[in-house]
Amino acid sequence: MTDRHYRMPVTINNEDDNHPSNPSAGPTMTDLIAQRVSRRTALKGLLASAALGAIGVGTGALRPAQAAMGLSFTEIPHAFDENLHIPAGYTANPFLRWGEPIIAGAPDFDAATRDAAAQAQQFGYNCDFVHFVPLPEGSNASDHGLLVVNHEYTDAHMIFAGFADGKAALAATTAEMAAYEQAGHGLSVVEVKKEATGWTLVKDSKLNRRITLATEFELVGPVAGHDRVKTSADASGTKVFGTMNNCAGGWTPWGTILSAEENTHQYFGGDPSSTAEAANAKRMGIKGEPSYAWGKFDDRFDVSKEPNEPNRFGWIIEVDPYDPASKPVKHTALGRFKHEAATTVINSDGRLVVYTGDDERFEYIYKFVSTGTFDAAKGRANSALLDDGTLFVAKLDAEGKVTWMPLVHGEGELTEANGFKSQADVLIEARRASDLLKATKMDRPEDIETSDKTGKVYVVLTKNDKRKADQVDAANTRAENKWGHIVEMVPPMVDGKADHAATSFTWSAFIQAGNPADTAQGAAYGGAVTDAGWFANPDNVAFDANGRLWISTDGFPDHGVHDGLWVTETEGEGRAITRHFLGCPRGAELCGPAFTPDGKTLFVAVQHPGDEDGSNFANPTTRWPDFKDGVPPRPTVVAITKDDGGDIGA
Ligand code: FEO
Ligand code: CA
Ligand code: CA
C-alpha cells in the first residue's frame, strides 16, 4: 500500500504519516561522524562496481550496457495517463480482475451491487503479491498453474457509490459494507492456463480458493496458546479467523506460499490506553483511530473489549495452494510487526532462512534461521521448520558490516526486567525487543529477494521523508528521503556457497533512486541511466530466470511519473543500471511481479488504479481496464508475454 501524497485518504491511514511508531533514541554524534566516513565508502563501492563511472542521464539510445544484459526491448518513456504501457512487441492481458467469479457458482461481477457473499467467491480487491505455482505439482510447467495473489486492503471510496473520504463517511459504514470489505481482503488461489488466445482463468476449478477474514487459521509456534493471544472467542489462543493487509510474500521449497500481514493496526478501533496491552498497541500504531469501521459490528476489532485480538495479527502466514481444504497457519516464530516479504533460502547447511522486513519509517530488517534442516522427502511436514529457530534483527554499520542480532529471551536486554517473561513476549513485541538491541532504523523496508546466481540479498527501502539531517546513517544516507534506495547484502561463502545463516554479512549501497539530473537528490546508479531509466520508490522486486532484478514502484506519482516496472542486471556491465519496462494507469502502484519458470510470462498486479486525491467511485482518474461508464477501475493481475514467444525482456 502506498502513502500517496497525490491522494491522502482519511479512510486509509496505512502508515501513520506524521507519527512513526518507533520512539527509541536516534544516532549519537559518534554515529554521525562514522556515517560521514561510511557514506563515502558506500558510494565508492557503488561506483567502483560500475563499468561506466559517470552518474547521469543518458540519451535514451540503446547503450552497450543494455546489449550486455541481453535486453532487446525498447524502453518506454516516463508518462502519467489512463493507460497501462508496455514496450512494442509485447502483449498485456488484464485477465484477472477484482470481482471476477472464481469459485463454482459465484455470480459475475456487477459494477452496481456490493454483495459480501458474492465477493467471498470472487477475486478480491487491491492485488499485491503474486506467485505462480506449476500444475501438476512437482512439474516445471509454465503454461498451467495456480496463481496465488494477496488482496492487501479495500478502498471504500472507490468501491461504494456515494462514499466520500473522511471520518463522517467512515461512521456511515454499514454492517453490509464492512462484510464486503472483509470478503475483499485475504488471498485468492486461481487455476490459470495459457491458451492460444492468451492466459485465462479456469473459473470453476476445484483448486480455486478464497481466503478472507472468515477463514480459520491455526496459530503455531512459540506464541500459540499464550495468554496474550487468548480472547473471549478463543480460550485456546490458537484459533484465529482471517488474515489482513497481506502485502509482499514468498514461497517455500515444499510448495506452499508465505504471506506477510503488514498494516494490521488500522483495523482496530477502541481505546487501548487503559488495557494491559497499551504500550504494545502504541508501538504498533493502534490508537483508536481505525481506517475501517469493523469494530462497530464485531467486538474483536474493538481493543477496549478485546485487547489481545491485535496480537493474533502481524505474522507471516502459510497457505498450501495445492490443497483448498487445508487450514492455513500463522507462524509466530518469525515475529510480529508490520511484515513485508518472506523470502526463503535453503542454506548451504540445509537450514531454512527467511528474510522479512518491517515496513514503516525507522523500522528494521529481520531474518529467521531454522533449527532443523530441510528434507525434501518430508514434503509439507517441512513447515515445522518455521516454528523452531532463531529470529535475528539487522544492524548495518559504517564499516559495511551487517550484524544479525538474535532476539532470544533471556539474552542481553531481553529479560523479565525489561518486561519479557518468555520468548512469546519477545516475538509479540519484536519491535520493542529490536529497539533494545539498537538495530538499524531503515527507510521503510519493503521487499527482500535473494539472487540464486550470486547468493546476494537485495533489501528494498521505499522512502522515508521523515528522516531528519541528524538522523541519517551509513545505510540511510539521505535526509527527507523521498526516493528510496536498495541495499545489497553479501553473506560469507562457505565451500563456494552463500552462508545465509551467518551472523555477520557485508553490505553496500546498490542503487540510490531518484533523478540523477537533479544532483540535489543524491541519486546514484551503476552508470548512466536514460531519461526513462531512473525511478523512485522501489517496492516489490523479483529475479527472472536470467538473474536480472525487476523492480516495481509505489509512489513515483509524487514525482510526476506513473508507477511501474524497471529492470537491471546485478552483476557486470549492466549492474545497477535500470531500464523502464512497464508503466501503470494513473492512480495505481505496481505489485507482483512474478515469472513463470520459463521466464516467458510475467504477471504483475495493478493496485488501486484511478485512486488519486479527490477520486471516488463516480470520479476515478481512469476506468482501466474496462473503460466503461459506470464501471469503476478494477485492481487487476495482468499477464505479459512477448509476441515472438521469447523471454520477457530479452
Ligand atoms: Fe504494503 Fe509495504 O507495502
Ligand atoms: Ca506498496
Ligand atoms: Ca509493498
Side-chain angles (χ1 to χ4, degrees), residues 1-2 128 446 539 554 589:
M1 180 192 281
T2 182
D128 198 292
E446 291 265 9
D539 191 333
D554 173 13
E589 69 174 271

Side-chain angles (χ1 to χ4, degrees), residues 1 128 152 247-248 262 340 359 446-447 539-540 554 589:
M1 180 192 281
D128 198 292
E152 188 181 16
C247 204
E262 192 190 16
E340 179 95 25
D359 181 8
E446 291 265 9
D447 206 355
D539 191 333
N540 292 8
D554 173 13
E589 69 174 271

Side-chain angles (χ1 to χ4, degrees), residues 293-374:
W294 300 355
K296 282 201 301 182
F297 313 107
D298 186 344
D299 283 354
R300 72 178 175 127
F301 296 110
D302 181 336
V303 292
S304 306
K305 295 169 181 158
E306 293 291 350
N308 287 345
E309 187 72 16
N311 291 341
R312 293 144 64 87
F313 294 87
W315 304 105
I316 293 293
I317 68 159
E318 183 181 15
V319 174
D320 180 353
Y322 292 109
D323 180 3
S326 59
K327 186 190 285 187
V329 298
K330 301 193 178 201
H331 287 290
T332 60
L334 282 77
R336 172 175 168 268
F337 37 91
K338 296 183 182 177
H339 270 285
E340 179 95 25
T343 301
T344 65
V345 190
I346 301 172
N347 197 40
S348 47
D349 60 6
R351 284 183 289 173
L352 187 79
V353 177
V354 188
Y355 292 96
T356 182
D358 184 346
D359 181 8
E360 191 170 337
R361 295 169 181 82
F362 305 107
E363 294 296 341
Y364 308 123
I365 302 164
Y366 297 81
K367 76 171 178 184
F368 171 84
V369 181
S370 69
T371 302
T373 55
F374 173 70

Side-chain angles (χ1 to χ4, degrees), residues 46 84 98 209 230 244 268 315 388 464 553 569 595:
L46 188 147
L84 183 86
W98 162 49
R209 182 179 193 183
K230 291 177 181 169
M244 59 212 188
F268 294 98
W315 304 105
D388 183 5
N464 182 354
T553 68
E569 202 73 83
F595 292 89

